[in-house]
Amino acid sequence: MGAAVVVVGSVNTDVVAELDRFPRPGETLRAVAVRRNLGGKGANQAVAARRVHDDVAFIGRVGDGAQGDGVREELAGHGVDVDHTRTVPDAATGTAFIQVAAGENTIVLDAGANDAWDRLDDAERRDVADAAVVVCQMEIPSAVNRAVAQACRGRLVVNAAPAREVTDLLSSCDPLVVNEHELAVLTGVDVDGPTQARSAARSVLDRGARSVVVTLGAAGAVWVTTEGGGVVTPPDVEVVDSTGAGDAFVGVLAARLAVGGELGDAIRWAVAAGSLAVQTSGTHASYPDADGIVAMLDSIVSKS
């Protein structure tokens, strides 16, 4: 048997520069601090899921050499099964260059080995087929995500980030998870706030998605299914670093679905996880465990 939660996605080394403010074009600024750590949307989501679920596996690709070995070992150190995190000969491990200032971030990505595959091998297909919940995102090739959707017999969570057309996956998405910008790319409609987000999300349901979740930053999240939907709102918190908070949301959402949670309940957990994550600098160091999330749930407002 494979893991209960299987994340198929990207894994990077993150190079993070903390700044007092973002530089203007042509300007050079001195960083307040620089750190290097494990990253990539797929790896982040796997670590976040593992914080609240004991059985999480990651399927991805790294490059030759010490950098690839290091990210694999770090991911395993978080308790994630990395048996199917493969090495691509003559490829570099992905690298993300991240600037953080005033709680916001910008990211430039060198995909490296994350782009160097186009299918699942037999063992990976078996793991995907056996999982209760499978997660994929857009930092790996579309062909891999299509293979995931074809192999998945459980629940498929598709995070359409970075923004990309996902028409060929929509009928498998349960849910499709997007932010306001990504939803606008999919629908061609500018989205501002929960009401517009719900309306645009319903149009994605009409195109075939089984359910849609839209993350709204400090405003929480909205969700729609053919049976209804809701709005989940967090308390006001001080945002220190938003890097990876969206991945915390997706990972915890998947983990909660894997234990049989209803979508609305899973979103409450995910909103709590994201709200806790933004209050601490760093990515994985900011991801909460189940106890931390449970302690915040009373502050989460959910309504239909």
Side-chain angles (χ1 to χ4, degrees):
M1 291 291 291
V5 179
V6 172
V7 180
V8 185
S10 57
V11 56
N12 300 320
T13 296
D14 285 352
V15 182
V16 184
E18 297 182 11
L19 307 171
D20 290 326
R21 61 175 177 82
F22 293 118
R24 293 183 290 270
E27 183 181 20
T28 299
L29 293 181
R30 188 180 296 273
V32 174
V34 175
R35 63 181 185 272
R36 290 169 173 80
N37 49 255
L38 175 69
K41 296 193 73 64
N44 291 347
Q45 291 164 7
V47 171
R50 182 62 182 83
R51 289 281 194 271
V52 297
H53 198 295
D54 290 339
D55 193 14
V56 179
F58 176 76
I59 295 173
R61 297 295 184 267
V62 299
D64 276 331
Q67 186 179 359
D69 293 341
V71 296
R72 183 189 283 106
E73 290 169 5
E74 190 171 351
L75 194 50
H78 288 285
V80 176
D81 181 343
V82 293
D83 284 353
H84 295 152
T85 303
R86 314 289 196 202
T87 299
V88 180
D90 302 319
T93 298
T95 304
F97 303 92
I98 303 172
Q99 296 178 334
V100 177
E104 299 294 333
N105 65 76
T106 65
I107 302 173
V108 176
L109 180 65
D110 174 14
N114 293 306
D115 267 352
W117 54 324
D118 60 6
R119 61 178 64 87
L120 302 176
D121 63 29
D122 289 344
E124 291 167 338
R125 278 193 294 272
R126 285 193 296 271
D127 272 6
V128 168
D130 289 343
V133 176
V134 180
V135 184
C136 62
Q137 344 71 35
M138 303 296 116
E139 285 186 345
I140 57 175
S142 297
V144 178
N145 284 334
R146 288 193 295 270
V148 170
Q150 291 166 2
C152 180
R153 295 199 297 250
R155 190 163 190 163
L156 181 64
V157 178
V158 177
N159 180 206
R164 185 193 299 173
E165 180 54 60
V166 291
T167 299
D168 51 351
L169 299 176
L170 275 182
S171 63
S172 301
C173 296
D174 194 17
L176 173 73
V177 182
V178 289
N179 63 21
E180 290 168 288
H181 166 70
E182 292 147 4
L183 182 60
V185 169
L186 292 177
T187 63
V189 176
D190 289 336
V191 176
D192 183 15
T195 300
Q196 291 183 356
R198 290 184 75 170
S199 177
R202 288 192 188 99
S203 74
V204 181
L205 280 186
D206 292 340
R207 290 168 55 191
R210 301 180 189 182
S211 57
V212 180
V213 177
V214 185
T215 60
L216 303 171
V222 303
W223 57 281
V224 295
T225 69
T226 55
E227 288 79 33
V231 181
V232 179
T233 307
D236 290 333
V237 298
E238 180 183 0
V239 178
V240 175
D241 183 358
S242 63
T243 307
D247 297 329
F249 181 102
V250 173
V252 170
L253 175 74
R256 194 63 185 167
L257 292 173
V259 298
E262 296 293 333
L263 182 58
D265 170 72
I267 293 169
R268 291 183 71 237
W269 276 63
V271 167
S275 297
L276 289 164
V278 300
Q279 297 180 62
T280 303
S281 182
T283 305
H284 300 158
S286 71
Y287 288 175
D289 60 15
D291 289 342
I293 291 172
V294 168
M296 186 179 233
L297 287 178
D298 286 343
S299 301
I300 304 297
V301 177
S302 182
K303 58 184 179 180
S304 59

